[in-house]
Amino acid sequence: QREGLELTLFHGRGGALGRGGGPANSAIVAQPPHSVDGRFKLTEQGEVIFARYGDPAIAMRHIDQVAAAILLASAPSNEERNREAAEKYADVAGAMDVASRERFFSLVRAPGFAPWFARVTPMEEIGLLALGSRPARRGLSVESLEDLRAIPWVFAWTQARINLAGWFGLGTALEAVGDDALLQRAYTEWPLLRTLIDNVAMSLAKADDRIARHYLELGDRDDLAALVRDEMRLTRDWVIRVTGGTELLANKPVLQRAVKMRSPYVDALSLLQLRALRALRDTPEGAPVDPEQQRLLLLSVSGVAAGLQNTG
C-alpha cells in the first residue's frame, strides 16, 4: 500500500492437505489482512480440476463459494478479526510452531527414514502408474527425502491410510500449549487455526490406524512405526478435544457421513493392496516380480485414490 503496488496471492492447489488441498473458501477467508484485497489466483492439478469442474452445477457452486470468500476476505470487518486474533494468539502459534517442527524433524531426519518410508508404502510402485508428467523421484533410489518429489511423498502416505503429511506434528503442538480452554477459544476466534484443525480432522478421519499398523509392519523399524502411530493417536485426541464432541468431524456431520459411507469400500481395497504389497516386498532380491501381484497393487492404488479423494 505504501509503495502503490498491487499483489495477487497465487496459490497452487493439489488434492491433498499436504499440497494445498482442503476447502478453498474457508482458507481464503482466513488469510492475513490485505493479502487478498479482492484479487486471488490459483492453479489446480488434474485431480482437483476433475472433482471441482467435471460437473457444471458443482463447478458453478465452487466458483460462487470462492468468489464470495474473496469478497468476504477483503471486508474490513473480516480483516480486523483476523488481525486481532493473530495478535491475541501469537504466543500460542509460536509454541505450536517450535514443538511441531521438532517433532516432524525427529521423524524425517531419523537415520534410514527414507528407505524405510519407501518400504512401508507403495511409493516405488506409484512410479509405475501411467500418470504424471515427471518421475516420482529425482535419483535412482530413495536414500533421502531430497530425492523425492512432493506428489509421491503425499500420495504414498495416503495409500497406506496414514495421511502423515496432513497432520503429523499437530498433536505435539497442541499438547505443548496444553490449555484446553485457551485452544478452544483460539479455534472459535481465529479463522486460520480453525481452518488448520478442521483440515487435519478430515485428514485423520480418512486415515485408519488398524490398516496403517499393517503397512508399518512391512518395515523393520519399530521405533519409527511407534513414532507415527503415537503421534496419530495424540493428534486425534487433541483435535477432538479442541473441536468438541466425541469423535472426529462431529461438528461437520455431512462430511463425517460421507467419509463413513466410503470407508468400508476403501478398507477392502486397502487390504487387497496390502496383500499385494506384502507379496512384492517378500520377493527375494534379484527374483522376477509377480506381474499379477503388481497389477493388483496398481489397480488398488487407483481405487483407494478414488475412494479417499484428497490424495495427491
Side-chain angles (χ1 to χ4, degrees):
Q1 285 181 319
R2 185 177 64 249
E3 301 298 332
L5 299 175
E6 283 190 329
L7 300 179
T8 300
L9 188 67
F10 184 24
H11 183 34
R13 288 180 60 81
L17 301 180
R19 297 192 61 251
N25 52 323
S26 58
I28 293 170
V29 173
Q31 296 306 306
H34 301 295
S35 61
V36 178
D37 275 346
R39 300 161 63 89
F40 184 73
K41 180 178 180 181
L42 57 84
T43 178
E44 298 183 291
Q45 74 174 59
E47 172 199 359
V48 179
I49 292 172
F50 177 78
R52 295 286 190 228
Y53 310 106
D55 179 273
I58 294 176
M60 284 305 302
R61 180 173 182 270
H62 176 63
I63 292 171
D64 285 348
Q65 287 181 325
V66 171
I70 293 169
L71 294 172
L72 182 58
S74 307
S77 58
N78 186 74
E79 291 186 335
E80 184 64 22
R81 178 190 182 192
N82 284 343
R83 180 186 298 107
E84 290 179 354
E87 292 173 355
K88 181 177 180 180
Y89 297 109
D91 291 342
V92 171
M96 290 176 63
D97 173 50
V98 171
S100 62
R101 189 185 303 269
E102 182 179 345
R103 182 69 159 174
F104 186 78
F105 286 154
S106 72
L107 176 68
V108 301
R109 292 181 176 175
F113 170 79
W116 173 81
F117 158 68
R119 181 171 179 81
V120 301
T121 70
M123 195 285 297
E124 295 277 15
E125 289 75 15
I126 288 170
L128 302 174
L129 287 167
L131 53 81
S133 58
R134 287 168 290 184
R137 60 173 184 263
R138 297 175 179 85
L140 296 176
S141 63
V142 181
E143 295 300 330
S144 72
L145 293 186
E146 283 72 25
D147 296 327
L148 193 63
R149 295 189 184 277
I151 293 176
W153 161 255
V154 175
F155 196 95
W157 283 121
T158 305
Q159 289 291 316
R161 302 297 297 277
I162 298 172
N163 285 347
L164 182 136
W167 54 262
F168 192 90
L170 180 64
T172 295
L174 294 172
E175 189 167 66
V177 177
D179 186 330
D180 289 37
L182 174 61
L183 289 168
Q184 287 165 0
R185 287 198 304 273
Y187 174 76
T188 302
E189 297 175 6
W190 193 10
L192 179 62
L193 183 66
R194 186 180 186 91
T195 298
L196 169 69
I197 291 180
D198 284 348
N199 282 344
V200 168
M202 179 180 68
S203 186
L204 283 171
K206 293 183 178 183
D208 189 298
D209 180 65
R210 302 164 304 161
I211 295 174
R213 175 171 58 87
H214 294 299
Y215 277 90
L216 295 173
E217 288 172 351
L218 295 172
D220 56 358
R221 293 290 300 274
D222 292 343
D223 57 331
L224 297 181
L227 184 57
V228 170
R229 296 187 66 206
D230 289 348
E231 185 67 19
M232 181 185 285
R233 282 192 292 269
L234 184 66
T235 306
R236 182 184 297 270
D237 291 345
W238 270 104
V239 167
I240 292 173
R241 286 164 68 172
V242 172
T243 59
T246 58
E247 58 182 346
L248 293 169
L249 300 178
N251 59 338
K252 295 184 178 295
V254 175
L255 178 58
Q256 183 190 64
R257 185 166 63 251
V259 172
K260 286 184 175 181
M261 287 177 65
R262 287 196 302 264
S263 288
Y265 304 96
V266 179
D267 290 351
L269 291 169
S270 292
L271 293 173
L272 287 170
Q273 180 183 118
L274 186 61
R275 187 176 73 179
L277 190 61
R278 189 179 289 118
L280 294 173
R281 293 290 180 268
D282 291 341
T283 302
E285 188 174 350
V289 173
D290 185 338
E292 286 301 311
Q293 294 294 343
Q294 191 174 76
R295 181 172 180 272
L296 172 61
L297 178 69
L298 296 181
L299 286 172
S300 68
V301 166
S302 298
V304 169
L308 288 178
Q309 302 179 21
N310 305 107
T311 52

